[in-house]
């Protein structure tokens, strides 16, 4: 069988694009499939301050575009708006990928870099007001709610970073977390709590998002006392964790109890020729520098794998 590509990368975030730079440099025919737009979640970041080399920070959009430009420079073909609907191993060791819209490509190797998606808040009102007062992206939607009270749900890096960004628009923020402290990086927490607009509600959880035609408030329950209170807010921003986008390969590769793809230090899955990298995988921390490094490792591993098959 004549294959269309040496490597197909499913996912056009920083992990997949970093891999494409390295596979392109190795003169491998490279295809990047991205079902939405290149850059992934990072595009929504107003500023990236923790990636080495950018001392003054850089916007998520500019960061992503730099990666796209770099990958294209080395010959990577990038298809936006094309997701992978089905991945099938072939008897000769290659793979067939069915794409959104009905196209089909064949490839010698695959890098899974589909990333992860935000976890939903399973309470009444979440679906009703989704996109109309309920959001998982402060940098996308914060400007629609100027000078009104908001709620931020969660206590990790995403919640604290996005909450800090939202202080530029909100009149006040009820910051709701299940624990008695935030789990984000200390420097982020210090900046966030120092802002007089932020009122943390510790050991608490949202039970309902209230309103008729728009968000009007939230009902919050204290997990220690059981006391319930209602607070007037006009927007609820939810940052309570992530779910891996592993549905495509759940019957193909090994997953852990949280449906993350299991790989070794070379980013190899249990299927020869299939690699996985970045937020999709089991890893100790999820930082931009680490997931970019994952993409690089997967690309280098594929180069050696294909060289060994010649």
């Amino acid at each position: 069988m004549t294959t269309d590509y040496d490597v197909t990368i499913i996912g056009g975030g920083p992990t997949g694009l970093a891999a494409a730079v390295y596979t392109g440099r190795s003169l491998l025919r490279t295809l990047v499939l991205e079902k939405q737009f290149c850059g992934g979640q990072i595009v929504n970041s107003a500023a990236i301050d923790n990636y080495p080399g950018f001392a003054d920070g850089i916007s998520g959009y500019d960061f992503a575009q730099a990666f796209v430009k770099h990958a294209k420079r080395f010959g990577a073909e990038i298809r936006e708006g094309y997701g992978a609907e089905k991945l099938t191993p072939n008897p000769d060791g290659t793979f067939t990928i069915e794409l959104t819209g009905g196209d089909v490509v064949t490839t010698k190797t695959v890098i899974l870099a589909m990333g992860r998606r935000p976890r939903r808040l399973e309470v009444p009102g979440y679906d009703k007001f989704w996109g109309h007062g309920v959001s998982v992206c402060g940098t996308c939607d914060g400007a629609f709610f100027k000078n009104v009270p908001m709620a931020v749900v969660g206590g990790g890096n995403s919640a604290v970073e996005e909450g800090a960004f939202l202080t530029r628009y909100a009149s006040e923020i009820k910051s709701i977390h299940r624990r008695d402290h935030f789990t984000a990086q200390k420097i982020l927490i210090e900046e966030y709590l120092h802002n007089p607009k932020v009122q943390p509600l510790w050991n608490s959880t949202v039970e309902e998002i209230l309103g008729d035609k728009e968000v009007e408030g939230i009902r919050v329950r204290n997990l220690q006392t059981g006391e319930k209170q209602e607070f007037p807010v006009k927007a609820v921003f939810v940052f309570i964790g992530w779910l891996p986008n592993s549905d495509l390969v759940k019957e193909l590769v090994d997953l852990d109890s949280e449906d993350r793809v299991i790989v070794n230090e070379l980013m190899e899955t249990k299927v020869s020729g299939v690699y996985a990298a970045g937020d999709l995988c089991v890893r100790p921390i999820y930082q931009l520098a680490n997931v970019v490094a994952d993409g690089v490792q997967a690309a280098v591993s594929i180069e050696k794998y294909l060289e060994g098959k010649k």
Side-chain angles (χ1 to χ4, degrees):
M1 178 185 294
T2 300
T3 54
D4 298 310
Y5 300 96
D6 294 314
V7 54
T8 297
I9 301 165
I10 306 176
T15 301
L17 293 172
V21 170
Y22 273 72
T23 56
R25 279 171 51 87
S26 299
L27 302 181
L28 300 177
R29 290 170 295 164
T30 300
L31 172 65
V32 178
L33 299 173
E34 172 50 55
K35 66 179 180 180
Q36 294 181 331
F37 45 83
C38 281
Q41 300 284 342
I42 203 68
V43 172
N44 297 324
S45 296
I48 299 170
D49 289 318
N50 62 346
Y51 195 82
F54 294 94
D56 297 322
I58 184 173
S59 75
Y61 176 81
D62 288 342
F63 185 87
Q65 288 303 303
F67 270 51
V68 170
K69 182 178 180 180
H70 203 169
K72 286 183 175 179
R73 176 189 164 199
F74 289 113
E77 178 185 342
I78 297 176
R79 297 194 197 180
E80 291 184 308
Y82 287 88
E85 299 294 329
K86 187 176 182 181
L87 171 61
T88 305
N90 298 318
D92 65 351
T94 64
F95 302 88
T96 297
I97 304 176
E98 298 176 21
L99 311 185
T100 304
D103 287 353
V104 176
V105 299
T106 56
T107 184
K108 294 178 182 177
T109 60
V110 177
I111 298 177
L112 307 172
M114 294 92 76
R116 54 186 182 170
R117 64 192 184 277
R119 188 183 297 274
R120 291 167 41 87
L121 187 63
E122 302 291 347
V123 301
Y126 184 92
D127 290 332
K128 178 180 179 180
F129 296 114
W130 173 254
H132 301 280
V134 172
S135 174
V136 294
C137 180
T139 54
C140 305
D141 299 324
F144 295 115
F145 301 96
K146 293 181 179 179
N147 303 314
V148 297
M150 302 179 186
V152 171
V153 185
N157 282 338
S158 294
V160 173
E161 285 180 320
E162 296 270 9
F165 175 83
L166 288 168
T167 58
R168 68 182 66 185
Y169 301 113
S171 60
E172 62 176 297
I173 291 179
K174 303 294 185 185
S175 198
I176 303 149
H177 188 39
R178 300 180 63 89
R179 302 188 185 186
D180 61 0
H181 63 281
F182 292 131
T183 56
Q185 295 175 359
K186 292 181 180 179
I187 189 171
L188 300 176
I189 295 172
E190 183 178 347
E191 176 186 356
Y192 187 47
L193 292 181
H194 184 72
N195 193 301
K197 292 184 178 181
V198 177
Q199 180 188 350
L201 300 177
W202 307 119
N203 303 304
S204 297
T205 184
V206 175
E207 289 208 325
E208 186 174 355
I209 300 170
L210 307 171
D212 183 14
K213 295 182 179 180
E214 62 182 24
V215 174
E216 297 173 4
I218 51 172
R219 181 176 295 117
V220 176
R221 178 170 62 90
N222 185 289
L223 296 173
Q224 293 183 330
T225 67
E227 178 186 4
K228 296 182 181 180
Q229 290 181 280
E230 293 184 6
F231 299 98
V233 299
K234 291 295 185 180
V236 180
F237 291 87
V238 181
F239 311 100
I240 55 173
W242 303 85
L243 297 171
N245 294 318
S246 57
D247 288 350
L248 176 69
V249 293
K250 63 183 179 181
E251 303 298 332
L252 182 64
V253 302
D254 287 335
L255 307 178
D256 75 347
S257 60
E258 298 178 25
D259 289 336
R260 299 176 297 179
V261 177
I262 297 173
V263 294
N264 62 16
E265 68 276 7
L266 300 179
M267 301 294 117
E268 296 170 325
T269 70
K270 75 171 185 178
V271 179
S272 181
V274 176
Y275 298 74
D279 289 342
L280 184 68
C281 302
V282 178
R283 47 178 312 108
I285 61 171
Y286 295 89
Q287 291 291 308
L288 185 55
N290 295 82
V291 299
V292 166
D294 279 1
V296 172
Q297 178 61 70
V300 172
S301 294
I302 278 180
E303 180 187 9
K304 294 180 179 179
Y305 170 80
L306 291 175
E307 186 66 29
K309 290 178 70 71
K310 288 183 179 179

